[in-house]
Amino acid sequence: MRRWEGSHHDLAMQEATPTTVLGDFRNTSFTYGGVTTRFTTRDSRFIVSTDGPDGAMTEYEVAYVFGVYPLQQYLIAFPGGRYQALSVVWDARAKADGGQRWYHLYPNDNVSHGDVLHWTGFAQNWNAQCAACHSTNLRKGYDADADTYKTTWSEMDVSCEACHGPASAHVAWADARRAGAPAPATPAGMELTASMRDRRHVTWAMDMKTGIARRSPAADTRRHEVEICAPCHARRSERVDGHVPGQPWLDAYAPAFLSEGLYRADGQMQDEVYNYGSFLQSRMYAAGVTCSDCHDPHSLKPKAGGNALCAQCHLPSTFDVRAHHGHAPGSTGASCVACHMPTETYMGVDTRHDHGFRVPRPDLTERLGVKDTCTSCHAGKTPAWAAAALDRWRTPRWRARPQVADAVAAARHGRADAGPGLAAIARDAAQPAIVRGTAIESLSRVAPTGLDTTLDALAADADPLVRLAVAQGVSTLDPAARARVAGRLLDDPLRAIRLEAASALAGEPAAWLTSAQQAALAKGLDEVQASARFNADRPESHVNIALLDEKAGRVDAAMARYETAIRRTPWFIPAYVNLAELQRHAGREAQAEQTLRRGLTAIPENGALLYALGLSVYRQQRGAEAVDLMARAARAEPDEPRYAFAYALALDAQSRFVDAFGVIDAALARHPDDRDLLDAGLGVAQKTRDIERARRYVGRLRVLAPDDSGLQQLARQLGLP
């Protein structure tokens, strides 16, 4: 308890008082996007004057402080039980480090009222986005009908029960001990719901040959402890209310895989993903290391300073020497974390270490553009320089170390040769489960051929993360294959997996299930509905339920769901796109067009909305207007090949063949293996009798589809070998 007091967990959230408020409220101000926010005090209350949800300058009282270091945010009470986190925050670092100042969390985005990132919007809503990880035993208490919150907690901060679970039995145990009663039958756990006392018997014995300690006993207590920390130290979605520490965390949460935008192709963190996804990739996790091997679980501080922390398990005479790290002893380069735990800075000032503990690979930076640890210290040098230095120091054998980045990068670029590598990674039980799940996620997106075989083989995998990826990936399969694979996951012991399987099997695939599986599906869909009710404050829940309504033929109910999502979160693009598609299927094309135009009013120049609107007006025989819309979509999102493909087809339909070639070839420079773009180019080449272009497109298509007999015949007609 004493170590916990004053920790970041203890200070995660506090009432706003002269003691807890760190920011300068002595009539100071900060200007951002033309809005000057002023900070003052009045009658011992802390007052912020800033732009409200309608853009008007308004005075607000600070209710709570959020966090303590390296920054502190301020929570403002709003009607309906909402609390909003102000985006102008206090830099709590020392002045010498650049701190003791006000700054904005989105300095380059020019966020104004009405934007989803504005401090009064959903993205900064404490109840939905922040509360669960800054308080103990939180209950969100969202009322979907009234669109209000009655959020409650047991403790305002991250207290004992946040990690150890309900403690009434522990309190009774402690009271009995104080009263001199006999010790209970299970004193080792102190009657805690999640005690983690099983670690008492874990030892680490140094292997003098390798210089690396090995864990004993063999029993795996690793996952239990890491899953205690995971709900708040992972990028994840919350599926149900009331998770109890010690229960499997996939009963209540679904973690993100190493997806593009969140992680780099080699698995290094990129967006704010916290530590779970990185740590699960590491050799440390595979060896049995847990969070509390390095961090005191109560003070949260490292157990030792500098390289001494790593020396707990890595013999200094082997690793803390120049022969290993290649730098002068005591220099920055000789620091273990400098090479093996590179940093990213989030929220402007919060520098965090990647917990993947990977070995630097400047060759991957050369090929794939991932972050290079070496040149982050060696300013002015290039990854090629770093790779050559490693060649001289380590010999080029270091380049042959197994890695998955090439396969992941190939998938991200839509390359046709990505499939076999991804399938091999997915099936390799020696790979970290989160990496295998990422391979499955990528396969589902870019390599559908043979996907059902891979998913079928992995539906019974021992690791739940792999099964979760399988359940998420089946939606692209045909109904029979989807039923065959996902039907086996309907009775999975973990709720997150059951939810994905049930969602994928609603509608047509249900006809392919056995009677027992159909009964399991009915229960699973009840769980899906309950999860959606819990998350009804999130627009994606309305969209997900609308999709289930669609599959069940409840068209009016689905439309109403989409409209609710639009009304409450007008920035949520899928609600407009899905509603317009449903209206189109109902024969209401003009209404669909108006829905998409509503979306563009709320989110101007959005690629997805422009693309959908372009298709709509094209179907209404307004070809010239469609060309303009498709051009805008392609300009808005040049990394989305579908938009360039549609733009080229629209130009082709207007007999603007030269322009169509220009769009296709520019898009192929970004997406060289995109089959749709190559097919479109071939079609225009055939129409214009451009033999040289046709040969070029066919040559590339043959690489992508070597067994396509039609392509082979066309190649012969074009005189290709």
Side-chain angles (χ1 to χ4, degrees):
M1 182 71 175
R2 285 191 299 271
R3 295 199 303 276
W4 171 81
E5 290 175 345
S7 70
H8 283 201
H9 279 177
D10 177 23
L11 305 178
M13 179 174 165
Q14 305 170 86
E15 291 182 351
T17 69
T19 302
T20 62
V21 172
L22 303 180
D24 187 352
F25 278 76
R26 295 173 299 180
N27 198 28
T28 57
S29 63
F30 177 83
T31 300
Y32 170 89
V35 174
T36 297
T37 299
R38 188 164 297 281
F39 303 88
T40 59
T41 57
R42 186 182 307 134
D43 300 327
S44 298
R45 296 178 297 132
F46 295 87
I47 307 299
V48 179
S49 177
T50 191
D51 58 331
D54 58 357
M57 295 300 293
T58 308
E59 281 194 352
Y60 299 96
E61 180 180 354
V62 175
Y64 298 99
V65 300
F66 212 54
V68 62
Y69 187 88
L71 68 149
Q72 186 175 71
Q73 288 185 267
Y74 300 96
L75 296 182
I76 309 293
F78 268 68
R82 286 172 166 77
Y83 286 91
Q84 299 294 134
L86 200 67
S87 295
V88 180
V89 303
W90 181 251
D91 184 344
R93 299 174 301 163
K95 194 163 189 175
D97 296 327
Q100 300 301 296
R101 65 188 176 102
W102 294 106
Y103 74 100
H104 199 283
L105 289 175
Y106 305 102
N108 303 316
D109 293 335
N110 196 26
V111 175
S112 60
H113 74 280
D115 192 302
V116 64
L117 294 178
H118 191 258
W119 77 274
T120 60
F122 182 75
Q124 309 303 329
N125 173 249
W126 167 84
N127 312 73
Q129 309 285 22
C130 321
C133 289
H134 281 254
S135 303
T136 300
N137 190 33
L138 186 113
R139 295 294 180 269
K140 184 166 59 174
Y142 179 69
D143 184 331
D145 293 330
D147 190 24
T148 59
Y149 292 94
K150 291 184 179 178
T151 305
T152 63
W153 58 74
S154 296
E155 282 91 21
M156 187 181 299
D157 51 19
V158 182
S159 194
C160 307
E161 292 183 331
C163 302
H164 293 291
S168 56
H170 170 70
V171 171
W173 170 86
D175 288 344
R177 290 288 299 272
R178 281 194 292 269
T186 56
M190 299 189 296
E191 299 296 341
L192 287 165
T193 303
S195 72
M196 289 175 276
R197 300 283 284 187
D198 48 7
R199 284 187 50 85
R200 292 195 314 165
H201 304 295
V202 171
T203 60
W204 290 88
M206 184 62 69
D207 183 336
M208 299 305 294
K209 291 182 179 178
T210 64
I212 300 175
R214 294 188 179 278
R215 189 180 194 269
S216 61
D220 185 11
T221 59
R222 167 192 57 177
R223 179 174 289 162
H224 173 70
E225 181 183 331
V226 172
E227 288 193 359
I228 296 289
C229 304
C232 293
H233 291 275
R235 187 70 171 254
R236 80 321 183 252
S237 58
E238 194 173 8
R239 299 303 174 88
V240 295
D241 199 13
H243 175 69
V244 175
Q247 294 177 344
W249 91 292
L250 287 188
D251 253 1
Y253 302 92
F257 290 103
L258 312 179
S259 307
E260 187 171 11
L262 299 181
Y263 295 84
R264 296 178 173 89
D266 63 344
Q268 289 189 72
M269 65 183 186
Q270 182 175 354
D271 200 3
E272 192 168 10
V273 292
Y274 315 103
N275 298 326
Y276 171 84
S278 298
F279 186 50
L280 258 63
Q281 301 173 59
S282 71
R283 292 183 183 181
M284 306 296 181
Y285 178 76
V289 174
T290 62
C291 311
S292 62
D293 282 312
C294 299
H295 299 272
D296 183 290
H298 297 106
S299 72
L300 313 181
K301 296 177 181 178
K303 287 190 169 181
N307 289 356
L309 182 64
C310 304
Q312 295 179 112
C313 296
H314 296 271
L315 197 64
S317 60
T318 301
F319 292 97
D320 199 4
V321 292
R322 188 161 195 154
H324 173 71
H325 51 62
H327 294 79
S331 68
T332 300
S335 164
C336 304
V337 299
C339 289
H340 300 297
M341 299 184 72
T343 61
E344 289 283 348
T345 299
Y346 302 106
M347 302 184 80
V349 300
D350 194 357
T351 301
R352 302 180 196 168
H353 287 281
D354 190 301
H355 280 59
F357 302 100
R358 53 182 44 82
V359 176
R361 290 293 300 265
D363 59 322
L364 298 182
T365 305
E366 288 184 273
R367 287 203 307 278
L368 310 176
V370 299
K371 187 175 181 179
D372 175 37
T373 302
C374 301
T375 53
S376 66
C377 284
H378 292 276
K381 301 296 186 180
T382 65
W385 169 88
L390 282 173
D391 285 342
R392 293 190 298 271
W393 176 33
R394 294 293 195 188
T395 80
R397 287 196 302 270
W398 66 273
R399 296 175 182 262
R401 288 195 300 264
Q403 49 84 26
V404 302
D406 283 311
V408 174
R412 291 182 178 184
H413 287 91
R415 281 175 37 192
D417 59 356
L422 292 171
I425 293 167
R427 291 170 178 263
D428 185 359
Q431 291 285 349
I434 197 165
V435 172
R436 298 174 66 201
T438 301
I440 294 169
E441 181 183 67
S442 300
L443 271 172
S444 303
R445 189 178 69 256
V446 303
T449 302
L451 177 63
D452 59 334
T453 303
T454 299
L455 297 185
D456 211 358
L458 298 175
D461 196 89
D463 198 290
L465 284 180
V466 175
R467 301 198 306 276
L468 178 64
V470 170
Q472 291 175 344
V474 297
S475 59
T476 59
L477 301 180
D478 66 74
R482 205 182 317 168
R484 186 178 70 252
V485 177
R488 299 159 59 191
L489 297 171
L490 287 170
D491 58 355
D492 195 278
L494 297 170
R495 184 187 286 111
I497 297 170
R498 296 195 302 270
L499 290 174
E500 297 289 351
S503 296
L505 291 172
E508 183 183 1
W512 298 83
L513 299 175
T514 67
S515 57
Q517 288 174 328
Q518 289 183 354
L521 174 60
K523 292 181 180 178
L525 290 175
D526 286 343
E527 288 188 306
V528 171
Q529 294 278 359
S531 178
R533 286 193 296 273
F534 165 66
N535 278 316
D537 55 340
R538 310 190 71 89
E540 59 267 30
S541 287
H542 292 283
V543 168
N544 291 338
I545 294 302
L547 289 171
L548 293 179
D549 285 335
E550 283 190 50
K551 292 175 181 179
R554 298 187 293 268
V555 174
D556 289 341
M559 288 184 177
R561 284 277 183 184
Y562 289 132
E563 289 288 5
T564 298
I566 289 170
R567 184 175 66 257
R568 293 183 177 174
T569 51
W571 45 266
F572 193 64
I573 297 159
Y576 296 102
V577 174
N578 287 19
L579 175 57
E581 186 66 9
L582 186 56
Q583 289 166 334
R584 179 179 79 84
H585 282 295
R588 308 177 196 171
E589 189 70 74
Q591 191 177 5
E593 177 184 345
Q594 292 309 309
T595 295
L596 295 168
R597 292 193 183 281
R598 273 196 291 157
L600 284 167
T601 300
I603 318 108
E605 294 305 300
N606 175 265
L609 292 170
L610 289 166
Y611 169 74
L613 182 58
L615 292 176
S616 178
V617 301
Y618 183 81
R619 288 189 293 265
Q620 296 178 68
Q621 308 300 314
R622 287 146 53 196
E625 187 179 353
V627 168
D628 175 67
L629 289 164
M630 293 303 184
R632 288 162 60 191
R635 285 195 300 269
E637 296 188 34
D639 288 327
E640 177 49 72
R642 284 184 308 147
Y643 302 164
F645 169 71
Y647 181 23
L649 292 185
L651 289 166
D652 177 29
Q654 295 287 302
S655 299
R656 294 171 57 181
F657 304 124
V658 173
D659 292 336
F661 280 134
V663 170
I664 290 166
D665 290 341
L668 284 171
R670 288 176 174 267
H671 315 282
D673 289 344
D674 189 276
R675 177 90 189 243
D676 288 337
L677 287 169
L678 290 168
D679 282 335
L682 177 59
V684 180
Q686 289 175 308
K687 186 179 295 186
T688 58
R689 303 183 187 279
D690 190 331
I691 303 301
E692 287 306 312
R693 284 184 184 273
R695 286 173 176 164
R696 188 162 69 246
Y697 295 135
V698 168
R700 292 168 72 174
L701 283 165
R702 288 168 73 191
V703 174
L704 301 182
D707 299 326
D708 189 321
S709 59
L711 277 175
Q712 300 302 337
Q713 181 179 355
L714 182 56
R716 288 192 294 271
Q717 293 172 358
L718 292 169
L720 291 173

